[in-house]
Structure formats: structure tokens, C-alpha cells
Amino acid sequence: MHGVHSDVLEKKQPDTGFDIHPVIRKRWSPRSFSERPITAGQVKELVEAARWAPSSMNEQPWKYAYALRGTDGFETLLDFLSPGNQPWAKNAAALILMMARTTFASNGRPNAWAVHDLGMANAQLVLQAAHRDIYTHLMGGFDKEGVMQFLGPGEDIEPVCIAALGYLGDPDQLEEPYLSRERAKRIRKPIDEILVAI
Ligand SMILES: Cc1cc2nc3c(=O)[nH]c(=O)nc-3n(C[C@H](O)[C@H](O)[C@H](O)COP(=O)(O)O)c2cc1C
């Protein structure tokens, strides 16, 4: 598979009981990123995929802010990440701040589905990335208050997560505990635990 770090890649491909879409099987959240950069145009393509997600009232509550590695914006976003995320996320080719507008633009009422709908858009973004061999790692571990202060007062925008993304790198560049996690098999609850017939 792509010739790079194929031992890890193979391990990350789950045995799915069904013929799910190959790109869904392929996606996983790495911590090792290569030095190969990605461009603003590539980030735009991923957000184009996100744009076409369904949303309550077609509100499209998602907002994204990105920074490419080597820019001041990248350092700014990196600084907001929790200490457990910074050591590996610093090697990502880009960071994307993923936000949701929590009220409906038309009437100002709370949008109870805003974070759900951002999640739908994010799912499309990460799958489009996997399609391009770009791997994403979403993080809830960041200083949300700090990001909100940085954004300044404005519309009801909630920072929900920050994604690290890039091409896969050599897992051996990671230190513990990240190295073992990089080599671990992906696990999920059994389907009967999450699906019932009523
Ligand atoms: C909203 C969200 C927040 C997450 N926060 C973190 C985080 O702060 N740090 C981290 O290392 N991984 C984080 N993850 C990654 C999950 O741990 C990972 O998706 C999960 O273990 C499943 O692994 P997989 O994505 O490789 O299938 C987060 C994922 C999501 C969707």
C-alpha cells in the first residue's frame, strides 16, 4: 500500500464484516506526519467536500480556519493544543480549526444540531483527505477559551476541534506513548452493542 510504512498501514485496516467504502476503511488518525507539505489549494478541496454535507435547515453552521506548517498561524494554533497533542501535532502539514455557529442565521434561535452538522461536514472532510492519502487527526484537547479570546467577540461561534493533517510519516520518529498507539490495532465496539431493532 503506497510503499510507505506498509506494516502500520496494514495493521490499521480493520476487518469489517461488510463491504464498506474503501475510503472509510482506509481512514485512521495518525500521529506521525511526513515533511511533505500540503497547499492551501488542497485544504480548499477538503473543505469543498465538507461544504456538501447535509445540515439542519441547510444552515451549514460549519466554519474553518487553517494554517500551513511554517506560518505564524500554525504556531498560534499549535500553542492552543494541549500538552499531549503538541509533541506530534507540530509535525502536521496543516492545522484546521473546526467551528460551529450555534444559532440559526435566519432567526437567531439556538441551533441544537450545529455541532452535529459540523461533525457531518468533518466526516466528509476527513474522508476526502483519505482519498488523497492525506491523513487527519482530530483533537478536542485544546484551550477552547483561549481560541475564543483569539477569535474575539462576534457571532455565536464555538470552536469544537482542531485537526492535524498531512501525509503519513515514519512512525519510528515518535516517542512513547505515541509510538505504541501508532502501532496499535484499531478497535471498535461490536455492532450489536450499538445497533438494536425496535
Ligand atoms: C472530536 C474528537 C476529539 C479527539 N480528540 C483527540 C485528542 O485531543 N487527542 C488525540 O490524540 N486524539 C483525539 N481524537 C482521536 C480519537 O482518539 C480517535 O479518532 C479514536 O481513537 C479512533 O481512532 P481512529 O480515528 O484511528 O479510528 C479525537 C477524535 C475526535 C473525533
Side-chain angles (χ1 to χ4, degrees):
M1 208 181 285
H2 322 303
V4 282
H5 319 304
S6 49
D7 56 327
V8 168
L9 275 178
E10 246 173 70
K11 199 161 198 179
K12 293 295 181 182
Q13 301 310 294
D15 296 323
T16 56
F18 296 86
D19 181 20
I20 63 170
H21 196 288
V23 90
I24 300 176
R25 278 190 83 227
K26 182 178 175 185
R27 185 215 61 82
W28 60 283
S29 304
R31 292 186 176 83
S32 50
F33 293 102
S34 88
E35 283 177 19
R36 185 175 167 191
I38 62 171
T39 64
Q42 285 174 295
V43 173
K44 234 177 184 173
E45 180 188 298
L46 306 185
V47 173
E48 177 66 17
R51 269 181 87 212
W52 292 100
S55 63
S56 171
M57 309 275 286
N58 201 17
E59 173 69 23
Q60 306 159 64
W62 41 77
K63 296 261 183 220
Y64 297 100
Y66 76 95
L68 303 181
R69 187 178 53 220
T71 64
D72 290 347
F74 188 93
E75 294 306 316
T76 302
L77 283 183
L78 190 66
D79 280 348
F80 287 127
L81 292 176
S82 62
N85 287 330
Q86 287 189 10
W88 52 269
K90 70 176 191 324
N91 298 320
L95 294 171
I96 305 182
L97 172 62
M98 299 167 146
M99 300 165 277
R101 187 189 158 137
T102 53
T103 53
F104 284 106
S106 55
N107 56 20
R109 293 220 189 103
N111 178 357
W113 300 276
V115 172
H116 171 274
D117 292 349
L118 171 66
M120 295 226 53
N122 288 348
Q124 298 197 177
L125 187 155
V126 301
L127 293 176
Q128 179 70 21
H131 170 57
R132 299 293 188 202
D133 290 335
I134 294 170
Y135 287 78
T136 48
H137 196 137
L138 267 61
M139 294 165 285
F142 70 96
D143 174 11
K144 196 166 169 174
E145 297 304 316
V147 171
M148 285 174 86
Q149 267 181 17
F150 171 73
L151 295 173
E155 297 165 47
D156 313 306
I157 298 291
E158 184 182 336
V160 178
C161 42
I162 297 178
L165 59 152
Y167 294 97
L168 283 184
D170 181 359
D172 291 330
Q173 76 188 7
L174 291 170
E175 290 180 2
E176 291 297 354
Y178 307 119
L179 180 60
S180 326
R181 288 182 201 160
E182 202 74 348
R183 296 195 170 283
K185 258 188 113 132
R186 295 171 60 220
I187 47 166
R188 288 299 188 266
K189 294 175 184 173
I191 200 152
D192 293 338
E193 200 177 313
I194 59 162
L195 174 69
V196 292
I198 50 173

